């Protein structure tokens, strides 16, 4: 099969267009003809050789993918069915899996990372349990743009932060895949969104997705927020970390929840505990989310209440340019590779 092959760790140039043997589905696995795969920051970490991920080379990136079923175990579906693939691989036997928290499985891994070869190739072998049928109204490109970001954002705003109708949600990094998902999902829960980004162009796109207010992040940090939400915000949705973190905690109203799924600007942050106890704040972490929460979301894409946000698509032969696009942070929404 043709694939975007990682033969050595490094920059975008480490992604080579080439040939690999076709994957052979093992027990419990289905073979998918990939029609679209989406990049996540996770792929950049794996590509650079982040020691947190033990990856054998050659490797294929991209845990987010959609395509047609070809063979292997089909999990009750049929060859030719259109599917997206849930990116998290769980054992379905440990205590966490039995309690519906398969994202906390003791052997949890992600396709395209430690979970095996991903979807930046013509074919991919995936666990049959991870197949989710997609409605005809959802294109392969849009379907591939959904799983990791929408699942994570939904888990964060729903199960973790318990966002309620009428609450105010501050969405940091609104132009990222997970941020664009959060704007829509907060709206689905009836909340008012204040979107934060460092570019006016990206804030306009955030308003188009339903953000009621926007805040341009400049030299004064989050100071303009005092006018937009004088009593504080109920939920801070963030994946940036670093120097802004103390300001984000201070931005919370009494009873507020800060929920985070990343630390792109730094993984160490100061936390003033006086705010945490006086205002009964909660700081919550998310590691993707349980697979069933992803299945819950798919009907909303068929009905049009949710929209996958695709920034740009690249043919498989230009996977390297796709990496450069995500790395540049110029994108709004998902960067998609089409085999
Ligand atoms: Zn498990």
């Amino acid at each position: 099969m043709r694939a975007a092959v990682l033969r050595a760790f490094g920059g975008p140039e480490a992604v080579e267009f080439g040939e690999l043997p076709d994957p052979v589905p093992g027990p419990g696995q289905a073979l998918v003809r990939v029609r679209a795969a989406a990049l996540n920051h996770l792929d950049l970490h794996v590509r650079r050789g982040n020691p947190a991920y033990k990856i054998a080379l050659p490797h294929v990136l991209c845990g987010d993918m959609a395509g047609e079923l070809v063979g292997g175990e089909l999990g009750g579906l049929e060859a030719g069915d259109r599917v997206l693939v849930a990116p998290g691989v769980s054992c379905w036997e440990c205590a966490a899996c039995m309690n519906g928290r398969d994202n906390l499985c003791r052997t949890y891994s992600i396709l395209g990372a430690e979970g095996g070869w991903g979807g930046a190739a013509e074919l991919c072998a995936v666990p049959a349990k991870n197949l989710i049928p997609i409605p005809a109204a959802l294109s392969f490109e849009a379907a591939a743009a959904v799983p990791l970001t929408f699942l994570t954002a939904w888990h964060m705003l729903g199960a973790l932060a318990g966002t309620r109708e009428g609450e105010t949600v501050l969405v940091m990094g609104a132009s990222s895949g997970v941020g664009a998902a959060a704007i829509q999902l907060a709206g689905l829960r009836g909340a008012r969104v204040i979107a934060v980004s460092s570019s006016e162009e990206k804030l306009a796109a955030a308003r188009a997705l339903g953000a009621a207010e926007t805040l341009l992040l400049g030299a004064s940090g989050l100071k303009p927020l005092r006018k937009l939400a004088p009593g504080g915000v109920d939920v801070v949705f963030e994946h940036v970390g670093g120097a802004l973190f103390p300001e984000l905690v201070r931005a919370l109203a009494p009873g507020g929840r800060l929920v985070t799924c990343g630390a792109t600007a730094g993984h160490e942050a100061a936390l003033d505990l006086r705010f945490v106890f006086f205002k009964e704040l909660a700081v919550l972490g998310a590691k993707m989310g349980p697979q069933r929460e992803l299945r819950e979301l798919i009907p909303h894409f068929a009905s049009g209440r949710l929209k996958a946000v695709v920034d740009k698509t690249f043919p498989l032969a230009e996977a390297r340019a796709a990496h450069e696009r995500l790395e540049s942070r110029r994108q709004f929404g998902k960067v998609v590779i089409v085999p």
Side-chain angles (χ1 to χ4, degrees):
M1 66 173 179
R2 287 178 294 180
V5 189
L6 191 67
R7 295 194 194 277
F9 299 112
E13 72 286 351
V15 179
E16 292 174 17
F17 180 58
E19 288 277 341
L20 282 175
D22 286 359
V24 178
Q29 283 191 321
L31 191 64
V32 174
R33 181 165 302 281
V34 182
R35 296 299 185 190
L39 279 175
N40 289 288
H41 279 278
L42 170 66
D43 295 301
L44 306 187
H45 289 296
V46 173
R47 192 203 67 213
R48 292 176 193 133
N50 184 324
Y53 305 99
K54 289 167 189 54
I55 305 292
L57 297 174
H59 184 68
V60 179
L61 298 164
C62 286
D64 275 345
M65 70 189 98
E68 289 149 353
L69 274 176
V70 175
E73 290 190 26
L74 301 181
L77 301 174
E78 289 178 18
D81 280 358
R82 302 168 81 249
V83 292
L84 63 75
V85 177
V89 181
S90 308
C91 77
W92 302 105
E93 287 173 354
C94 71
C97 283
M98 292 309 214
N99 288 320
R101 303 191 78 182
D102 43 276
N103 56 321
L104 298 182
C105 174
R106 61 187 176 181
T107 64
Y108 194 70
S109 59
I110 296 174
L111 292 169
E114 288 173 313
W117 285 3
E122 290 175 314
L123 294 167
C124 190
V126 304
K129 276 187 183 294
N130 290 40
L131 302 172
I132 302 179
I134 53 173
L138 197 58
S139 70
F140 287 124
E141 290 86 348
V146 168
L148 201 145
T149 50
F150 273 88
L151 170 57
T152 305
W154 185 237
H155 186 53
M156 289 167 77
L157 291 170
L160 293 175
T163 309
R164 294 181 292 272
E165 195 170 354
E167 287 194 318
T168 299
V169 179
L170 185 73
V171 176
M172 299 298 294
S175 61
S176 67
V178 75
I183 292 168
Q184 297 184 67
L185 292 169
L188 194 66
R189 298 185 77 90
R192 166 180 171 254
V193 172
I194 303 174
V196 181
S197 178
S198 51
S199 127
E200 282 288 8
E201 191 188 349
K202 289 174 173 180
L203 289 178
R207 280 191 291 274
L209 285 178
E213 315 271 0
T214 53
L215 192 161
L216 184 67
L217 199 56
S220 59
L222 290 174
K223 271 189 190 145
L225 187 60
R226 288 177 203 164
K227 274 190 185 156
L228 296 173
V233 300
D234 302 295
V235 175
V236 169
F237 179 101
E238 88 102 20
H239 48 101
V240 182
L244 266 180
F245 193 84
E247 268 197 87
L248 293 173
V249 173
R250 278 199 298 276
L252 286 167
R257 293 84 72 199
L258 180 151
V259 61
T260 180
C261 68
T264 44
H267 58 269
E268 288 193 7
L271 180 62
D272 187 333
L273 292 174
R274 293 171 300 178
F275 289 101
V276 175
F277 55 74
F278 273 120
K279 295 206 276 184
E280 293 200 355
L281 305 180
V283 176
L284 302 150
K287 177 185 165 193
M288 305 237 311
Q291 194 193 100
R292 70 162 192 289
E293 293 183 19
L294 177 58
R295 291 179 185 272
E296 277 168 21
L297 282 180
I298 303 307
H300 294 295
F301 289 95
S303 71
R305 291 188 75 192
L306 293 177
K307 185 169 150 275
V309 184
V310 175
D311 169 69
K312 202 171 174 196
T313 60
F314 292 84
L316 186 58
E318 291 169 26
R320 174 180 167 175
H323 276 252
E324 285 165 351
R325 174 83 183 164
L326 182 60
E327 202 122 32
S328 75
R329 299 185 179 275
R330 288 193 307 268
Q331 89 288 356
F332 188 96
K334 303 299 288 179
V335 176
V336 174
I337 294 170
V338 180

